[in-house]
């Protein structure tokens, strides 16, 4: 669902939308931050989005607000509505053809489908890998968190998209490559290394396996990001040649 504001000629100036992300988590989307739109329009649309989320029985609503245009005024409205600033996020966007392969990797990869794993086994691994992650967003049952990996209306999904990395026969890493086959937009829904295997430079190999599989799936453009405070992951993006795209503030509100 969405709400848009038009000029006298019927041209859209701004738009706010609400979409399900995973489990009972919803996201507020938008266009037109740099348009000359009265802040009252944004206030009205954000309030309507929050009301709609409540009606959908959302557990939490999130918004990634790009740092440009009317963002400061919108941020003040988010505060008034009870949203909390979670983190500043730096994002990268790069053609997959320009990103490296995984030649020389020490990891051996198998999908959860190849391993004949259940969703519960995937969720149990996620709990281990996410330990110590500064962007830990599980917030409850990990089975709910992985639902957009398993079943997504827009992106490739399923146990075949969930990849488990092995180091000398032991489970060491996890990455989830997903592609929008309509336009080639691609993401790594999650990537991480188990605590016992950190500090060995495996992060870049996890990243590069993700790129390799995104290309196999038909992806053309990779879009990813991390907290601006996550120096290690930022270096991983940079080491892979990922190009800076934008900086956003991540806001959230529990319903």
């Amino acid at each position: 669902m969405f709400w848009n504001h038009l000029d006298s000629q019927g041209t859209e100036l701004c738009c706010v939308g609400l979409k399900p992300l995973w489990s009972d988590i919803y996201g507020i989307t938008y266009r037109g931050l740099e348009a000359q739109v009265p802040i009252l329009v944004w206030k009205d649309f954000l309030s309507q989005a929050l009301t709609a989320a409540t009606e959908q029985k959302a557990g939490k609503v999130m918004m990634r607000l790009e740092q440009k245009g009317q963002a400061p005024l919108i941020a003040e409205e988010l505060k008034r509505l009870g949203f909390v600033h979670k983190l500043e996020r730096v994002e990268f966007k790069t053609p997959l053809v320009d990103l490296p392969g995984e030649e020389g990797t020490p990891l051996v990869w198998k999908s959860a489908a190849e391993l004949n794993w259940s969703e519960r086994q995937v969720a149990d691994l996620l709990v281990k890998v996410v330990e110590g992650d500064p962007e830990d967003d599980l917030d409850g049952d990990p089975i709910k968190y992985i639902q957009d990996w398993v079943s997504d209306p827009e992106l490739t999904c399923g146990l075949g998209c969930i990849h488990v990395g092995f180091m000398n026969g032991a489970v060491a890493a996890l990455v989830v490559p997903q592609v929008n086959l309509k336009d080639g937009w691609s993401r790594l829904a999650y990537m991480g290394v188990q605590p016992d295997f950190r500090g060995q430079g495996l992060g870049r190999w996890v990243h590069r396996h993700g790129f390799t599989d995104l290309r196999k799936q038909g992806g053309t453009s990779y879009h990813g990001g991390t907290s601006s405070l996550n120096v290690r992951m930022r270096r991983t993006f940079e080491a892979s040649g990922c190009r800076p795209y934008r900086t956003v503030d991540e806001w959230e509100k529990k319903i």
Side-chain angles (χ1 to χ4, degrees):
M1 61 188 73
F2 66 92
W3 303 265
N4 60 1
H5 180 68
L6 311 177
D7 66 13
S8 58
Q9 282 73 48
T11 301
E12 181 185 275
L13 295 179
C14 74
C15 178
V16 169
L18 181 73
K19 63 180 293 186
L21 298 178
W22 68 87
S23 182
D24 60 351
I25 313 300
Y26 282 71
I28 294 178
T29 61
Y30 57 87
R31 293 191 296 268
L33 279 185
E34 296 182 303
Q36 297 301 310
V37 175
I39 189 60
L40 288 176
V41 172
W42 288 104
K43 287 183 176 182
D44 179 48
F45 288 173
L46 290 171
S47 293
Q48 290 191 62
L50 197 54
T51 298
T54 302
E55 292 172 349
Q56 294 295 322
K57 295 181 169 47
K60 183 166 65 176
V61 180
M62 302 175 63
M63 184 175 185
R64 288 178 176 169
L65 183 61
E66 190 171 358
Q67 294 178 356
K68 68 178 186 180
Q70 292 186 295
L73 295 175
I74 294 171
E76 288 301 315
E77 179 61 14
L78 290 173
K79 289 179 190 176
R80 191 188 69 79
L81 290 170
F83 282 77
V84 175
H85 183 263
K86 183 180 179 184
L87 55 85
E88 180 184 70
R89 176 181 170 88
V90 290
E91 296 189 350
F92 302 80
K93 197 171 185 181
T94 314
L96 277 162
V97 69
D98 294 338
L99 294 174
E102 58 180 326
E103 297 78 11
T105 179
L107 294 168
V108 174
W109 292 92
K110 292 185 179 181
S111 72
E114 291 173 314
L115 294 167
N116 199 29
W117 277 18
S118 66
E119 290 183 25
R120 175 53 62 186
Q121 286 172 292
V122 172
D124 289 344
L125 174 58
L126 175 63
V127 170
K128 296 176 183 177
V129 174
V130 83
E131 183 182 332
D133 186 341
E135 298 177 67
D136 177 358
D137 210 15
L138 289 189
D139 195 24
D141 187 352
I143 284 285
K144 294 181 179 179
Y145 184 88
I146 69 171
Q147 286 312 299
D148 63 329
W149 306 356
V150 177
S151 177
D152 190 292
E154 298 177 352
L155 306 177
T156 55
C157 57
L159 294 174
C161 286
I162 301 170
H163 292 219
V164 181
F166 292 81
M167 182 81 165
N168 299 323
V171 174
L174 174 69
V175 67
V176 186
Q178 293 183 288
V179 176
N180 187 325
L181 295 177
K182 292 182 179 178
D183 60 12
W185 182 91
S186 308
R187 72 172 186 176
L188 301 181
Y190 186 80
M191 62 167 281
V193 176
Q194 285 224 61
D196 289 348
F197 292 88
R198 292 175 188 164
Q200 303 178 44
L202 295 182
R204 66 169 177 157
W205 294 114
V206 178
H207 214 200
R208 293 178 185 190
H209 175 73
F211 303 155
T212 299
D213 194 74
L214 290 174
R215 284 189 286 261
K216 285 181 181 177
Q217 291 189 50
T220 57
S221 177
Y222 169 62
H223 185 176
T226 188
S227 164
S228 61
L229 299 178
N230 192 343
V231 176
R232 180 175 295 178
M233 190 61 209
R234 290 179 67 173
R235 287 176 178 165
T236 299
F237 277 106
E238 292 162 2
S240 294
C242 297
R243 301 173 191 168
Y245 172 51
R246 65 180 187 175
T247 302
V248 300
D249 288 299
E250 196 164 292
W251 295 83
E252 65 179 29
K253 175 182 173 64
K254 292 186 178 181
I255 304 297

